[in-house]
């Protein structure tokens, strides 16, 4: 209506209200037209919503079920998966023989040494605090003179050599072997911290003590030391790889963390902190080791590659391999006759027959006699059940039942009196008042677990099992109470196990915990959880594959046995050395445990060469040196543990000069030819420069700073080094082949596929119809079998989607008729609460598609489609494969699956099941899914009244909405026009009355 209003200033009338009342009929017509427009718009929105549901079913369920590919899902396996794996495709009984696997040309170098040189400071070999060595020199009469050499952390190896030289000892240090050598005439005595400089006391004798009380060890003519190695301390910047931790993935509280050896301790701690996990690294006093410690007071679950971060000794993992740590145990209520509410597969209520069969003795109710005043009675014994009590109470003629949720009998009004043993009635929760009153039966600690449906299972605490079969609530409580710090109770008001865990309690709990309401399969009660002690990975361990180069053997000294030379090279391994010595008639073997070469002498033995590098203890009195620098042994060859040169502490910024490369005095760049291309290096070239030049040649190059080794690979060809400077490659740990060349070859993968020989540069073969990966030399047959589980799942998913769709559509079609509920205008909503508006709109929306002919046609069409019958075919209908229609008419054709029958049909007649759904033109079968698909497709075809892929006549409805909008505009225009007329007439009346009033006033004045 018009916003212009006025009141009867002259007449005294409320003209606005009068006009509004006079327009009531016009307002009513407008509201009717407007509500009809709103109703049509709501119906169009509902059309779109329902159309989306049907289209989703049509596209994602029905379309798949009409396709033969759905019924041709298969599993492809091979007879030997260690030989080959199928990536895609393949046919049953395909034959694959792997003749050769592909191998890239690869050069894996030995560790380049991080030598302890003459310039190395003593703190780098572990001498951090001031220490000392006392040298005792003896005169001709045997009188000793003691001189103390103070060793400080900032002294260099060269400084130590000078200190010995000042005492007249011919001292030197070999940068290659990393050993001291002390030569002198006569004998000297050494005491103090000899180990600090690698000085061994094996085979020496003692002669008194020095001024500090330390034993004096006597050496004659020469002191040869063990190789010195650098020590490594751990800080927050230490890489995980240094601790022996390689790449992996750890899952913490559902979050995934990826780590690798390049990450530092601080890096991984920050990763944990980012997801809210409190962890720190606890360092040892000397910072040479430590461990990760997690605070798990708020609960903590860890899985994946978590071994570096937790010590799982004695811990229990759940079924998913995760470890759960906590300081609490939380349980849900148990259901009488059923299982814990934490079991998602159990119903919230128990089967009444199961509950009614609970024995009273299991509830702690004693034997005795109870009766009713009508003469009915019951003798309670160990076989009496809840049902027996119900039978007794039913003699009153009233309906009685037992509520398993409240654990109480429900009894109607009765004037019967209770008699017999009233104590038993009270135990049953039944008392006499104004009638018979009932309350819950309290479940005591002696109640059997079978009351809750628990008749099997095991609970394990710290390795001790409790078999739950035949056990009571109290048995569970006692099992937990055996752990110091755990107090268990059973709350008989809520039927819940409750646990009080003392601070610092530690226990591992696992088993069928869900039966007790505990939502877990394994709990490790821990205040904290830690890793095992982590130390720097030992790069000095020696095994049979360790090379002489890695032992620091000076190959220029050669090796001879009883005067005969043995061919050696820096690439010779310990195993190869042992074999060569055996061939030379020396009975020797390598002891992997002690890491020593054990010689078994049957006669004399003469050895020459760098024997110290082989662990031969030349300071032992049994090692007699001859003029030709040969050592002879008669009784035994004294040996010590072999020592490998320490892993490099080099980085990619280390220069090649620091690695030991040498250049001509003129400083010209050195060249090495790689695969025919010259690569140049200057003295200041770094390891990274070297890697970059190899990469430019198409060779994958990497340097592992943890172990100090290079890796070069070429998947498309060989790697060949030539040139005048190839001998310097040993600085990179690269040694020549047996023929002296530096050629490292790759090889193609070769296979036979159904008799056809095929080749691949990689281990993956991509052929027409099959792609497979070679894993090892051998043969295998391909087996392709139908994936019945996947096919069953497809059918089951379809049935679920079909049932859900028809249930929703039938709800819309069969909605109550709400003719009194029309869309609200803004004026009507102003007088209602939000809740009232919501309820009103629900009523309107629920009946929008009531008795809709389109939906009725769709439902009927789909129902008939899946009821189709193909006589003479097997199967001829859904019923024959275990899919039946509900006999309950209220379910409107809902489908049900007999799992066993459907799986049997898929197993024994898969082709027939496929034809039933997809059709078979030769058999004259359209197919049930195809029929339903075509029904929906036809209904969604475009027409004059509907859009393409739209189920309803949306175009007609949009036209109707446009027409209705015009009617609303017309009704509004008529109302506004009439309002203008009424307003004008009342205004004229007011003016006339005003004139009359003026005239009357003048008349009164004149008289």
């Amino acid at each position: 209506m018009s916003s212009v209003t006025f009141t009867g200033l002259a007449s005294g009338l409320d003209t606005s209200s009068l006009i509004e009342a006079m327009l009531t009929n016009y307002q009513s017509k407008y509201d009717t037209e407007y509500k009809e427009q709103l109703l049509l718009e709501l119906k169009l929105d509902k059309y779109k919503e329902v159309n989306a549901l049907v289209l989703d079913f049509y596209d994602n369920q029905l379309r798949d079920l009409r396709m033969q590919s759905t019924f041709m899902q298969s599993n492809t396996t091979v007879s030997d998966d260690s030989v080959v794996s199928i990536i895609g495709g393949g046919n049953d009984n395909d034959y694959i023989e792997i003749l050769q696997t592909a191998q890239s040309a690869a050069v894996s170098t030995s560790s380049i040494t991080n030598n302890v040189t003459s310039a190395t400071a003593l703190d780098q070999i572990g001498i951090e605090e001031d220490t000392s060595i006392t040298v005792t020199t003896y005169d001709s009469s045997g009188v000793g003179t003691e001189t103390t050499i103070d060793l400080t952390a900032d002294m260099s190896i060269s400084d130590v050599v000078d200190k010995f030289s000042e005492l007249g000892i011919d001292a030197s240090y070999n940068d290659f072997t990393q050993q001291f050598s002390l030569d002198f005439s006569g004998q000297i005595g050494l005491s103090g911290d000899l180990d600090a400089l690698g000085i061994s006391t094996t085979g020496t004798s003692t002669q008194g003590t020095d001024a500090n009380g330390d034993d004096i060890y006597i050496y004659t003519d020469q002191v040869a030391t063990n190789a010195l190695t650098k020590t490594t301390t751990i800080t927050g910047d230490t890489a995980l790889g240094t601790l022996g931790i390689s790449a992996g993935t750890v899952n913490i509280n559902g979050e995934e963390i990826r780590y690798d050896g390049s990450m530092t301790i601080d890096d991984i701690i920050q990763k944990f902190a980012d997801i809210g996990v409190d962890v720190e690294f606890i360092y040892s006093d000397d910072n040479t080791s430590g461990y990760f410690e997690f605070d798990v007071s708020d609960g903590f679950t860890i899985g994946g590659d978590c071994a570096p971060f937790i010590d799982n000794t004695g811990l229990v993992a759940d079924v998913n391999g995760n470890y759960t740590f906590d300081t609490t145990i939380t349980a849900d209520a148990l259901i009488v006759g059923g299982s814990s509410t934490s079991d998602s597969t159990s119903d919230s209520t128990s089967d009444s027959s199961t509950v009614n069969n609970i024995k009273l003795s299991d509830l702690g109710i004693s034997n005795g006699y109870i009766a009713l005043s009508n003469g009915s009675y019951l003798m309670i014994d160990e076989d009496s059940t809840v049902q027996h009590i119900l039978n007794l109470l039913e003699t009153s003629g009233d309906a009685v039942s037992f509520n398993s949720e409240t654990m109480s009998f429900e009894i109607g009004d009765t004037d019967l009196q209770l008699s017999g043993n009233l104590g038993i009635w009270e135990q049953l929760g039944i008392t006499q008042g104004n009638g018979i009153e009932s309350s819950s039966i309290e479940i005591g600690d002696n109640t059997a677990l079978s009351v809750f449906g628990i008749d099997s299972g095991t609970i394990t605490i710290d390795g001790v099992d409790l078999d739950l079969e035949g056990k009571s609530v109290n048995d569970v409580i006692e099992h937990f109470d055996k752990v110091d710090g755990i107090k268990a109770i059973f709350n008989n008001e809520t039927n819940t196990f409750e646990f009080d865990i003392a601070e610092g309690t530690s226990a591992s709990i696992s088993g069928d915990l869900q039966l007790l309401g505990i939502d877990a399969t394994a709990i490790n009660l821990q205040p904290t959880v830690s890793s095992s002690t982590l130390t720097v990975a030992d790069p000095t361990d020696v095994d049979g594959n360790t090379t002489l180069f890695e032992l620091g053997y000076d190959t220029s000294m050669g090796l001879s046995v009883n005067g005969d030379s043995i061919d050696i090279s820096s690439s010779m391994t310990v195993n190869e050395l042992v074999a060569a010595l055996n061939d030379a008639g020396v009975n020797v073997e390598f002891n992997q445990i002690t890491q020593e070469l054990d010689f078994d002498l049957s006669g004399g033995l003469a050895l020459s060469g760098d024997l110290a590098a082989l662990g031969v203890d030349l300071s032992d009195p049994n090692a007699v040196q001859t003029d030709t620098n040969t050592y002879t042994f008669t009784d035994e060859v004294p040996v010590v543990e072999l020592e490998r040169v320490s892993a490099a502490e080099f980085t990619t910024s280390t220069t090649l000069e620091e690695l030991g490369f040498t250049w001509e005095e003129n400083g010209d760049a050195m060249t090495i030819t790689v695969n025919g291309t010259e690569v140049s290096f200057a003295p200041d070239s770094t390891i990274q420069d070297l890697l970059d030049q190899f990469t430019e040649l198409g060779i994958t190059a990497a340097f592992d700073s943890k172990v100090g080794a290079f890796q070069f690979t070429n998947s498309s060809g060989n790697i060949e080094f030539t040139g005048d400077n190839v001998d310097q490659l040993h600085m990179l740990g690269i040694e020549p082949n047996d023929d002296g060349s530096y050629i490292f070859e790759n090889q193609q993968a070769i296979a036979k596929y159904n008799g056809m020989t095929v080749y691949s540069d990689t281990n993956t073969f991509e052929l027409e119809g099959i792609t497979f990966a070679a894993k090892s030399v051998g043969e295998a047959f391909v087996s392709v079998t139908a994936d019945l589980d996947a096919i069953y799942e497809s059918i089951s998913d379809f049935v679920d989607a079909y049932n859900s769709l028809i249930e929703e559509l039938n709800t819309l079609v069969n909605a109550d008729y709400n003719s009194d509920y029309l869309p609200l205008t803004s004026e009507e909503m102003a007088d209602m609460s939000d809740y009232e508006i919501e309820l009103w709109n629900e009523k309107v929306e629920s009946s929008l598609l009531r008795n809709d002919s389109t939906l009725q046609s769709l439902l009927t069409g789909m129902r008939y489609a899946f009821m189709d019958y193909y006589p003479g075919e097997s199967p001829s209908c859904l019923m024959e494969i275990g899919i039946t229609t509900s006999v309950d008419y209220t379910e409107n054709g809902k489908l049900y699956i007999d799992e066993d029958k459907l799986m049997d049909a898929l197993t024994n007649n898969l082709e027939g099941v496929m034809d039933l759904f997809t059709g078979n033109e030769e058999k004259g079968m359209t197919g049930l899914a195809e029929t339903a698909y075509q029904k929906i497709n036809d209904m969604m075809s475009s027409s004059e009244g509907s859009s393409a892929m739209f189920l309803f006549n949306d175009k007609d409805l949009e036209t109707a909405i446009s027409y209705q909008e015009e009617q609303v505009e017309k009704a509004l225009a008529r109302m506004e026009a009439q309002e203008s007329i009424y307003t004008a007439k009342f205004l004229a009346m007011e003016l006339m009355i005003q004139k009359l009033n003026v005239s009357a006033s003048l008349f009164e004045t004149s008289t």
Side-chain angles (χ1 to χ4, degrees), residues 4-17 19 986-987 990:
V4 179
T5 61
F6 62 91
T7 57
L9 298 176
S11 66
L13 300 174
D14 185 353
T15 55
S16 295
S17 297
I19 293 173
F986 274 106
L987 180 60
E990 290 293 329

Side-chain angles (χ1 to χ4, degrees), residues 663-669:
W663 276 261
E664 298 294 335
E665 292 183 0
N666 57 19
D668 289 344

Side-chain angles (χ1 to χ4, degrees), residues 103-118:
Q103 292 182 9
S104 300
V107 183
S108 297
T109 74
S110 58
S111 176
I112 58 177
T113 61
N114 182 19
N115 293 333
V116 178
T117 68
S118 299

